[in-house]
Amino acid sequence: MTTKLLFLGLTAALLSSPASGQEKVLNLYSSRHYQTDEALYSRFTQKTGIQIHRIEAPEDALIERVRNEGAASPADVLVTVDAGRLWRAEQAGLFQPVKSAELERRIPAHLRHPDGLWFGFSARARVIVFNKEAVKAGELRGYEDLAAPKWKGKVCMRSSSSIYNLSLGAALVAHLGEQKTEDWARGVAANFARAPKGGDTDQIKAVAAGECALTLANTYYYARLARSQKPDERAAIAKTGVVWPDQDGRGTHINISGAGVMKHAPHPREAIQFLEYLASDEAQHYFADGNNEYPAVATTKTDNPALAALGTFKPDTLNVSALGRNQPAAQKAFDRAGWR
Ligand SMILES: [Fe+2]
């Protein structure tokens, strides 16, 4: 037996039900690695008697893995971030539709796939972060303002290949059409203070340092810095403010962390039980707070102090499945606009 086969054999032995059939198990493929998730899993096991066997890997690698495993995949549930990525997994044919009155009642329709291929369990918003010395509150009201000539040389942005920008671009394609999205991207790119580089946290720090006046970032990055143990990171946040874009119109662009049941799931019943557990108030708390996100279930209140400090906002209720569907069009618009 080759090493690879031995490895695969071991994986199968670890992940499948024992021959006795006494122990109920769930094989979870997750790109999350938060401490609160441990509590989530052990509570689920306490309540249901279902043991969770977990495989963790980065998002795209995980999707690739399930795809390569094909019909023999032991995966029951895939948990990942960004509707754009759930769409990639959907396009690869990895999910099966789930019909659950509980999930349909708890998860708002715009945060789940119309046919139940996946469900959003927490939400993040993409907000404008500004340097308080360079920008006055009220000077910006929406994403479209980032393209205004008055911000020339003042905008820091991560690359257009970032799935967060692609998903925002996809939402703009849905609302404004491809041409206006391209025009917007061209205007934003013309305002760059520097060539796109780094992640959302780097953009926030660059704004705080005065390297640029404005950027876009996901709320959980902002909240993470605000709650940081490092004084310099909290000081950086103190130099910045946040604009909730498009509050007078369609609402702020949001995205999700979500999960779905795998097409070849060996334990589909346990898989649905797990998704329903994720929609419970208790699990919503653990799931959202592990990454400073907002619970998807509207009645679950967040007690995250950094999110509370940001206040409430009106979210865009475009179905997040559009974020994946329009991703290719968004990428083309960014490319044509010269936003690399
Ligand atoms: Fe992220």
Side-chain angles (χ1 to χ4, degrees), residues 141-182:
R141 306 194 69 79
Y143 300 106
E144 285 157 272
D145 294 332
L146 291 170
K150 74 184 276 195
W151 304 116
K152 194 163 186 62
K154 294 197 156 60
V155 176
C156 277
M157 206 61 83
R158 71 191 285 176
S159 101
S160 69
S161 62
S162 151
I163 200 156
Y164 307 140
N165 286 337
L166 281 175
S167 288
L168 171 62
L172 293 178
V173 166
H175 290 300
L176 309 173
E178 290 182 38
Q179 185 57 54
K180 281 190 176 156
T181 301
E182 180 183 331

Side-chain angles (χ1 to χ4, degrees), residues 30 50 106 111 132-133 146 174 198 216 228 235 252 287-288 300 313 334:
S30 173
I50 299 169
R106 298 279 290 171
L111 300 182
K132 286 198 273 198
E133 279 176 19
L146 291 170
L216 287 174
S228 173
T252 296
F287 194 86
T300 308
F313 68 102
F334 285 133

Side-chain angles (χ1 to χ4, degrees), residues 81 124 158 164 218 220-221 224:
V81 294
R124 64 274 296 280
R158 71 191 285 176
Y164 307 140
N218 286 350
Y220 60 87
Y221 291 109
R224 194 183 295 164

Side-chain angles (χ1 to χ4, degrees), residues 120-131:
F121 291 103
S122 60
R124 64 274 296 280
R126 198 144 182 81
V127 292
I128 299 172
V129 177
F130 62 91
N131 183 302

